[in-house]
Amino acid sequence: RVPRDRVIFRRLRHAMVFCFFPSEPPESVKSKGTRGQRDALILEKQNHPHVFALGLKDAACKEPGCFILSACGALGGCTACWARKAVLEKYANGLDDYRCCQGYVGACCCVEPPECRGSPAALFLEGCCCPVFSLSIARIHLMDKKQVRPDPCDYQLIACSNCLQLLACVVDIVAMFDERATELANLIDCAADCFTCSVAGCMGAQIKHEMDKDQHGVVYAVAVPTPMSVAQAHGIPVVAVGSESAPPPAPLMPSPPKGAKSLPVVAVQPAAESMER
């Protein structure tokens, strides 16, 4: 059984994020720069037909070891380098398909980023120079390859992280003119960094869990109610979320071409074993 104090802490942590920030996707992204480009990429995938096998908010409890390692290695770039390489090897053609930021980031200050195709050194530099952003790129790449939609709490975590970073920036400016605010600024900076590391730990654990599920062939967990026949008519291999049985290995679903209509969203059918229970 889970200790009572651990359950209370987990509920308080979730309440802080889930009560103050909406879970619905925003109408548009207002962030600028690379952060805004990342958030826009996540928002574009809200109509994808599949979901992650493990939700982001449950990753720390389901994969505690990977969560701790990912969180500790996040700021140093270790988690990003591992995730980028692992996703490329599992869902693409390995490092041969590597590109700087996987081509998701456009020009920054009118400067086009170099492609650096297939360069391990470029992957290492990307992970070390932009550790959390590079980890997000690995997760977005996986979402594209498997047509996975964002987690419901993605929007809440992004909003909470943005608010903490904004608050830290404001208090740092205040501390420049009033030394009494220095300790408060340091405290908020530490809280914002800890939150960022915990989210990075959840992303690393979620990516590992997804790849473990696909160890013997890519498995798609489908999202919302419609008959199973609809999924089969579109040739989508389906596995019930939480089911121990997986369908036979299936080829990766290619990303839809530009202008193509999104696939109809289909239901996760309960596993026969759970229905009998």
Side-chain angles (χ1 to χ4, degrees), residues 13 29 45 97 171 178 214 235:
R13 181 190 64 189
V29 174
K45 294 164 179 47
D97 279 355
V171 178
D178 189 346
D214 294 340

Side-chain angles (χ1 to χ4, degrees), residues 35 160-176 181-196:
R35 182 188 292 269
C160 184
S161 176
N162 289 345
C163 285
L164 284 174
Q165 295 295 340
L166 178 61
L167 180 62
C169 182
V170 170
V171 178
D172 281 338
I173 294 173
V174 172
M176 294 171 62
T182 302
E183 291 187 4
L184 178 61
N186 293 336
L187 182 64
I188 295 176
D189 283 340
C190 183
D193 290 342
C194 288
F195 184 85
T196 299

